[in-house]
Amino acid sequence: GIDRADVNTAVSAVGSRGFDLTREFPIRMELLQIADNEHVLAISVHHISADGWSLGPLARDVMTAYVSRSSGDAPGWGPLEAQYADYALWQRDLLGSADDAGSLMSDQIEFWKKTLTGAPDQLELPLDHPRPPAQSF
């Protein structure tokens, strides 16, 4: 286990380690043991997979699972009200297709094409480092 005085340092270490998104999930959890029956769960989430709003439901779900498992039960998750596919279908119904000249989607695409016509390929902004000769993405 870790010493009680080192808990903040250990949690900070979990949160400050970067993510290599090419090789690992954008969420990291470590269970830190303080004593035989005392632990701290440290969770670090990359901003690509969560925002401030989503941290509330994440904390709620972790606590629901903890309370259920502590009493020997499985969490009683109900079915989700909507899946991503439901959202995608709703969006397609609302916006239509880019191929349909009368759809909201094609109107939006045309608006942005007109608005951005003549925009420079690259903005000349002050930089900390010289711009590389080729984009690295």
Side-chain angles (χ1 to χ4, degrees):
I2 63 171
D3 189 85
R4 190 175 308 283
D6 296 330
V7 170
N8 286 342
T9 302
V11 170
S12 292
V14 171
S16 63
R17 268 196 347 252
F19 288 91
D20 179 355
L21 297 177
T22 63
R23 296 182 338 169
E24 60 185 333
F25 292 110
I27 185 169
R28 177 180 303 119
M29 296 185 193
E30 289 189 29
L31 188 62
L32 308 171
Q33 184 173 8
I34 311 302
D36 286 344
N37 62 350
E38 188 176 355
H39 298 78
V40 171
L41 178 63
I43 302 174
S44 179
V45 183
H46 191 282
H47 65 88
I48 199 168
S49 64
D51 58 13
W53 182 89
S54 58
L55 295 180
L58 173 63
R60 182 196 64 225
D61 289 352
V62 167
M63 289 309 300
T64 298
Y66 175 78
V67 169
S68 296
R69 295 295 182 184
S70 294
S71 63
D73 297 322
W77 309 120
L80 295 175
E81 294 177 22
Q83 299 286 326
Y84 182 78
D86 299 320
Y87 171 77
L89 291 172
W90 167 82
Q91 184 180 37
R92 184 178 300 154
D93 286 343
L94 177 70
L95 299 177
S97 169
D99 300 333
D100 179 7
S103 73
L104 184 56
M105 174 67 78
S106 66
D107 290 347
Q108 288 290 310
I109 290 171
E110 276 306 307
F111 169 81
W112 287 110
K113 281 182 179 179
K114 288 177 185 171
T115 301
L116 297 174
T117 296
D121 290 335
Q122 141 181 321
L123 295 176
E124 295 300 333
L125 299 172
L127 304 172
D128 297 7
H129 305 283
R131 188 183 303 273
Q135 283 183 316
S136 66
F137 297 104

